[in-house]
Amino acid sequence: MSASPAGLRPADFFSPTVAALISVLVNYGGTFVLVFQAAELARLSPAQTASWVWAVSIGVGVTGALLSLRYKAPIITAWSTPGVAFLATVMPFTPYGEVIGAYVISALGFIVLGLSGAFDKLVRMIPGGIAAGLLAGILLQFGVNAFGGASMDPVLVIVLVISYALLKRYTSRFAVVGILVVGVGLLIAQGRIDFSAIHLSLAAPVFEMPRFSLQALLGVALPLFVITLTGQYMPGMLVLRNDGYRISANPILAVTGLGSLVMAPFGAHAFNVAAITAAICTGRDAHEDPAKRYVAGLACGMFYILVGTFGVTLATLFMVLPKAFITTLAGLALLGAIGGSLANAMADARTRETALITFLATAANVTMLGVGGAFWGLAAGLTAHVLIHGGQPRLADNPAKP
């Protein structure tokens, strides 16, 4: 894929920007509540919590925008969602200064890994069918949830699904834009969004001096590093690969690791390349021309920086949206990514079965030893691939084989 885009026209900014807005909305509305839950369990002060919001938002905004601009690809960065879920279990029992020290060590680990090039080599070794099966398994639950919300909010979900189908028929490019507008309009008409309660105020970062201990190294830094690497970086790189972006993982690891290091003393836990929300920005719905989808990465960066500037007050706005709206919007926006990854997983008859194993094992979302379903799905698929195909020549390499 060429990394040299044609000249951008004003029309080229609309779809990528809307895709970026939906990506950011899903990220805050879908998972950011975990940050507030972890902060409450750790008994952080309101100022420390606001600093955490500021640090992760500004950090992912700057790193994503810089990477997207440098490589002309929609490189969407995000905070580690499985990482913050893990932190909620250990922060109540670990002094906050030592937690910050663990963030610093974890960030240094990602910088070293990126400079070594080892992770990039590992990603390139994964067969394409298995990579697509992993992505489809990760995204499947979001597709299911697009319709599962009908039991809680049938009118909203039915209106969104019907609107999506009609828009796909008459103006496919603006289908996702349309359901966002229709959904917000319906919620306003029903009086379910109250903007009057939102009072914007600038966030103030709070510096916390890192402290280091063996307990925090083994109990916080190491698990956070492994969980983020397997649960975020691996599927995130495969999202880019699935949509044709052959970007090296090395600079992404190094830049996000450096961003995490800089923002760690202000409460940021870990930055990484996004997976689920990135898929909204890397496919055809973001832009017909793959070389112009990097605009979505720039727009994501600006939206994250905007939210971070106002900290908790603006982040809270996204979380007051009904859950059914967020899940349905995310699922419909990801339909193209789910269909494309399933098609890629099943395309090669030779690896179809191992890709299917990867897909099903990932969709099962088994968590063992503190590591999430993405890692175990990939492990199951690669193990099956080695056992079934290990040492066998490909059909193209052995024309005599029937």
Side-chain angles (χ1 to χ4, degrees), residues 31 34-36 38 52 79-89 224 269:
T31 64
L34 292 173
V35 170
F36 291 101
W52 190 353
W79 50 85
S80 173
T81 298
V84 73
F86 158 73
L87 289 170
T89 67
L224 178 62
H269 58 289

Side-chain angles (χ1 to χ4, degrees), residues 366-384:
V366 175
T367 299
M368 294 188 295
L369 304 177
V371 180
F375 173 80
W376 297 115
L378 180 62
L382 290 175
T383 300

Side-chain angles (χ1 to χ4, degrees), residues 18-33 78-79 81 139 142 145 176 179-180 275-281 300 304 315 318-319 321-334:
V18 173
L21 176 61
I22 293 173
S23 175
V24 171
L25 190 153
V26 170
N27 226 1
Y28 281 108
T31 64
F32 205 71
V33 66
W79 50 85
T81 298
L139 299 180
F142 286 82
N145 289 341
V176 176
I179 59 172
L180 173 62
I276 295 163
T277 52
I280 297 174
C281 298
C300 266
Y304 281 126
F318 291 104
M319 290 185 292
L321 295 171
K323 183 179 180 181
F325 174 65
I326 297 294
T327 56
T328 304
L329 180 65
L332 294 176
L334 288 168

Side-chain angles (χ1 to χ4, degrees), residues 141-177:
Q141 195 59 48
F142 286 82
V144 172
N145 289 341
F147 304 93
S151 59
M152 299 181 298
D153 203 332
V155 173
L156 177 63
V157 174
I158 291 172
V159 168
L160 288 176
V161 172
I162 291 176
S163 299
Y164 180 81
L166 291 173
L167 288 164
K168 268 293 181 180
R169 175 173 180 174
Y170 294 108
T171 175
S172 179
R173 182 178 178 183
F174 300 108
V176 176
V177 180

Side-chain angles (χ1 to χ4, degrees), residues 42-67:
R43 297 184 178 179
L44 299 186
S45 68
Q48 289 172 323
T49 302
S51 183
W52 190 353
V53 176
W54 175 87
V56 294
S57 300
I58 297 293
V60 299
V62 171
T63 54
L66 288 176
L67 287 166

Side-chain angles (χ1 to χ4, degrees), residues 60-134:
V60 299
V62 171
T63 54
L66 288 176
L67 287 166
S68 297
L69 183 62
R70 169 64 180 83
Y71 295 100
K72 295 297 187 290
I75 302 175
I76 313 301
T77 54
W79 50 85
S80 173
T81 298
V84 73
F86 158 73
L87 289 170
T89 67
V90 296
M91 287 181 69
F93 313 104
T94 309
Y96 189 50
E98 293 184 13
V99 171
I100 297 297
Y103 294 168
V104 170
I105 295 173
S106 175
L108 288 171
F110 287 119
I111 294 172
V112 171
L113 185 61
L115 295 176
S116 72
F119 183 70
D120 193 51
K121 294 177 182 177
L122 176 62
V123 172
R124 294 179 187 277
M125 290 171 59
I126 299 173
I130 288 179
L134 176 72

Side-chain angles (χ1 to χ4, degrees), residues 172-240:
S172 179
R173 182 178 178 183
F174 300 108
V176 176
V177 180
I179 59 172
L180 173 62
V181 173
V182 169
V184 171
L186 179 60
L187 291 174
I188 292 175
Q190 293 177 332
R192 298 171 64 182
I193 301 180
D194 184 10
F195 296 106
S196 63
I198 304 299
H199 302 286
L200 296 181
S201 60
L202 295 176
V206 177
F207 181 86
E208 180 77 24
M209 180 61 68
R211 302 203 306 268
F212 303 95
S213 70
L214 181 62
Q215 177 187 356
L217 169 63
L218 299 178
V220 181
L222 184 59
L224 178 62
F225 178 85
V226 173
I227 289 169
T228 303
L229 187 67
T230 58
Q232 295 279 175
Y233 276 109
M234 180 68 76
M237 291 308 304
L238 296 179
V239 166
L240 289 169

